[in-house]
Amino acid sequence: MNNYKIKVNDEAESKEAQELFFALGAVWAQSKKASFNSDPMSFIYFNGSSIYYGHDDENDEDWFLSSSSGQELTLPQLRDLVAQSKAKSIEFLEPQDDGTYKLVNWTCMSCPPENFIEVPDEAELYVYWPHDKDYHFQSGQGFYEDGGWNLCSFSVEEIKKGDAGAEILWSREPIQEQGLISGADALRALAEKKNVQCSIAGKNDWTVDILTITPYYFIGMGSGQFQFRLKPRTIRLELEIPACGKNYKHGQLIWILNSLEPNEYCSVILDESDELPAYWWETEEEIKQVVAAFRGGIKA
């Protein structure tokens, strides 16, 4: 990115110039922060990633006038530069401490950190598939791989509902928690001795002891600070399926479950360095029976 410099005649111009440089991704060279600096200054320099300032004295004036200090801009020119950069912004996912991702719009005029992930056009979700130990962007009925969209066994809506077994790490649209009930309904359910769970709103942590929550948070002015739901019930599936393969031989064609395939299974020949999957079958007929059993058991 080019180096730039600008003269500022008062605090108002200084503040605007700083904000415009921040919009280009700049931070102060010393503090590494993108926050307004009220120190008196006559010149601001931008080296492509950081800004620093100079005073109205002979040394700083000579440096400002030198060609090595960068291209001189006026405030209108700097505004245009920022407008152009916004028009070229690209979406990236920024990793968060909890393992999820946050969407950020990054200007093409500076490079994002290496751990940022570029978001392809039309992407709605970024998910982790535990079975395949793989990460994919999802859109509609497709997943993104090798620069294009491919057909996926599960749609975005099915993934959001939890039907696909994928962990959602980012969603363009907020995901509505399933099965929430109002504070009033939660109180009624408790009176009927039903098992009600409670979480701080938006935290999705259902371990909060509901008996410590006062009525103020159920139906009073504090309602909305907690979320309530009936404790989810689990069902036990007993399926009759062919036994997994046992005596694997190197180079053997095996069949495994794969949620990314239209039929939800595929065949593979493992390399010597590949780890043998925990669950595999020797024939396509066997894997077909496994898939059919799972589908039938879950629907039932």
Side-chain angles (χ1 to χ4, degrees):
M1 188 174 183
N2 295 335
N3 295 344
Y4 298 105
K5 59 189 177 184
I6 189 169
K7 271 188 178 181
V8 290
N9 298 309
D10 51 39
E11 183 174 303
E13 289 189 359
S14 172
K15 186 174 188 298
E16 182 180 2
Q18 290 179 49
E19 291 174 347
L20 290 170
F21 280 126
F22 295 151
L24 294 177
V27 295
W28 283 106
Q30 294 297 323
S31 67
K32 304 301 180 185
K33 295 181 179 179
S35 56
F36 174 60
N37 186 335
S38 60
D39 290 349
M41 59 189 74
S42 303
F43 318 111
I44 300 177
Y45 310 95
F46 176 49
N47 66 4
S49 59
S50 302
I51 55 175
Y52 49 102
Y53 66 81
H55 296 289
D56 191 9
D57 58 37
E58 185 174 342
N59 290 334
D60 284 346
E61 181 78 26
D62 289 343
W63 170 246
F64 182 83
L65 294 174
S66 68
S67 59
S68 59
S69 61
Q71 176 186 348
E72 182 176 358
L73 299 175
T74 62
L75 272 175
Q77 289 173 325
L78 184 53
R79 293 186 199 114
D80 289 343
L81 192 64
V82 170
Q84 292 171 19
S85 74
K86 289 182 177 179
K88 298 178 182 178
S89 65
I90 298 176
E91 291 183 330
F92 284 88
L93 295 186
E94 177 185 8
Q96 304 298 294
D97 292 338
D98 62 359
T100 61
Y101 289 81
K102 181 178 74 172
L103 184 69
V104 296
N105 287 295
W106 198 270
T107 171
C108 293
M109 302 185 70
S110 57
C111 296
E114 292 184 359
N115 62 345
F116 277 36
I117 303 171
E118 185 173 346
V119 179
D121 291 340
E122 302 177 12
E124 298 176 67
L125 302 176
Y126 185 59
V127 305
Y128 173 64
W129 296 93
H131 182 272
D132 303 294
K133 298 180 180 179
D134 210 351
Y135 297 81
H136 284 294
F137 284 100
Q138 307 284 146
S139 179
Q141 190 76 39
F143 69 96
Y144 192 81
E145 188 174 60
D146 298 329
W149 291 101
N150 304 273
L151 181 64
C152 181
S153 300
F154 296 96
S155 68
V156 164
E157 291 307 313
E158 290 172 321
I159 295 172
K160 286 183 176 181
K161 291 177 182 177
D163 297 341
E167 180 183 356
I168 298 176
L169 304 178
W170 164 78
S171 174
R172 186 174 296 278
E173 299 295 335
I175 298 176
Q176 179 64 39
E177 180 70 33
Q178 299 294 313
L180 294 183
I181 60 177
S182 68
D185 287 338
L187 286 176
R188 279 191 287 269
L190 287 171
E192 295 170 0
K193 297 185 178 181
K194 293 181 179 179
N195 198 336
V196 182
Q197 292 182 316
C198 175
S199 169
I200 296 174
K203 294 296 185 181
N204 201 31
D205 176 11
W206 299 98
T207 61
V208 177
D209 185 354
I210 195 169
L211 297 180
T212 65
I213 307 301
T214 66
Y216 171 81
Y217 293 105
F218 285 87
I219 54 177
M221 295 295 291
S223 61
Q225 296 187 39
F226 288 89
Q227 293 174 318
F228 305 96
R229 72 178 185 185
L230 296 177
K231 184 178 180 179
R233 293 183 298 172
T234 58
I235 59 173
R236 180 178 177 180
L237 293 178
E238 293 187 4
L239 305 175
E240 292 187 6
I241 60 175
C244 296
K246 292 182 178 179
N247 301 315
Y248 173 76
K249 297 179 181 179
H250 176 64
Q252 176 183 349
L253 178 72
I254 64 174
W255 298 84
I256 61 173
L257 297 170
N258 186 342
S259 61
L260 299 180
E261 294 292 333
N263 293 326
E264 300 186 50
Y265 67 85
C266 67
S267 61
V268 294
I269 298 178
L270 302 177
D271 293 331
E272 290 186 3
S273 59
D274 292 334
E275 181 180 351
L276 180 66
Y279 305 102
W280 60 275
W281 287 264
E282 295 183 352
T283 68
E284 184 175 11
E285 184 58 34
E286 289 177 334
I287 196 76
K288 283 182 177 180
Q289 293 177 41
V290 173
V291 172
F294 273 109
R295 287 175 173 171
I298 292 173
K299 288 180 180 178

